């Protein structure tokens, strides 16, 4: 019988959720210009590039929830680490995407964060004079529409 009292039923959950919603609605309506709490999760400010080393991202696609979105996004936006906002000591200088699907995000990221979109891998790695312009490369080849061989293996792009 004691277990039933501690258990959260659907009725108890809905009552608690309604109470929290009403309480939250009243407090936010009374103080619309109040600062958000310290643990409020919002889009962080864009990290500066000063003092950070440039890297290039070479990927197959850059779309929502792709590997490039998650991995390169951490270098572009920063990320939470041990309860603090962490900015890596590298920043994405250029981005090359082998395929550009309908839901591509590479162009949007380039506009918002000043990342240069390259048309070739060589262009992503070099400056206008042909000199190496990055200290590292994020190579992310995981998604995209590529042919398969007779064993069913995906034939991702490769250099010769």
């Amino acid at each position: 019988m004691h277990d039933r009292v501690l258990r959260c039923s659907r009725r108890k959950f809905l009552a608690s959720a309604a109470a929290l919603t009403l309480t939250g609605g009243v407090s936010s309506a009374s103080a619309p210009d109040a600062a958000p709490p310290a643990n409020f999760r919002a889009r962080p400010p864009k990290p500066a590039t000063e003092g950070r080393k440039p890297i290039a991202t070479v990927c197959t696609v850059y779309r929502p929830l792709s590997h490039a979105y998650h991995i390169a996004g951490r270098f572009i936006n920063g990320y939470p680490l041990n309860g603090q906002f962490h900015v890596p000591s590298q920043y994405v200088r250029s981005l090359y995407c082998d395929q550009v699907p309908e839901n591509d995000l590479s162009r949007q990221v380039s506009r918002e964060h000043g990342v240069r979109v390259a048309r070739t891998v060589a262009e992503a790695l070099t400056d206008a004079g042909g000199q190496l312009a990055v200290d590292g490369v994020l190579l992310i080849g995981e998604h995209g529409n590529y042919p398969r061989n007779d064993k069913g293996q995906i034939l991702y792009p490769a250099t010769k």
Side-chain angles (χ1 to χ4, degrees), residues 26-105:
V26 171
S27 66
S28 65
S30 62
D33 295 329
N39 62 353
F40 182 75
R41 295 187 70 155
R43 178 177 272 187
K46 295 175 188 159
T49 58
E50 291 82 34
R52 298 170 65 198
K53 294 183 178 191
I55 59 174
T57 299
V58 177
C59 60
T60 50
V61 293
Y62 195 96
R63 64 178 187 223
L65 304 179
S66 66
H67 288 89
Y69 171 83
H70 287 290
I71 298 168
R74 287 178 170 244
F75 288 90
I76 294 169
N77 302 307
Y79 58 94
L81 178 67
N82 298 327
Q84 299 291 320
F85 186 70
H86 176 71
V87 176
S89 54
Q90 301 83 16
Y91 72 96
V92 176
R93 179 184 183 279
S94 57
L95 173 64
Y96 168 76
C97 295
D98 189 53
Q99 296 181 355
V100 182
E102 278 186 31
N103 58 350
D104 177 69
L105 292 175

Side-chain angles (χ1 to χ4, degrees), residues 12-27:
K12 286 180 185 177
F13 172 78
L14 290 173
S16 299
L20 286 173
T21 302
L22 291 175
T23 307
V26 171
S27 66

Side-chain angles (χ1 to χ4, degrees), residues 85-160:
F85 186 70
H86 176 71
V87 176
S89 54
Q90 301 83 16
Y91 72 96
V92 176
R93 179 184 183 279
S94 57
L95 173 64
Y96 168 76
C97 295
D98 189 53
Q99 296 181 355
V100 182
E102 278 186 31
N103 58 350
D104 177 69
L105 292 175
S106 62
R107 283 25 180 196
Q108 178 183 347
V109 166
S110 71
R111 283 190 303 273
E112 291 178 3
H113 295 278
V115 175
R116 188 182 72 165
V117 175
R119 289 176 277 156
T120 65
V121 174
E123 185 180 318
L125 303 178
T126 58
D127 59 14
Q131 298 296 314
L132 185 63
V134 295
D135 288 358
V137 179
L138 288 176
L139 180 59
I140 309 163
E142 189 63 34
H143 299 287
N145 295 321
Y146 295 100
R148 294 180 180 263
N149 63 13
D150 56 344
K151 295 180 182 179
Q153 298 164 324
I154 300 173
L155 300 173
Y156 289 107
T159 59
K160 298 185 183 207

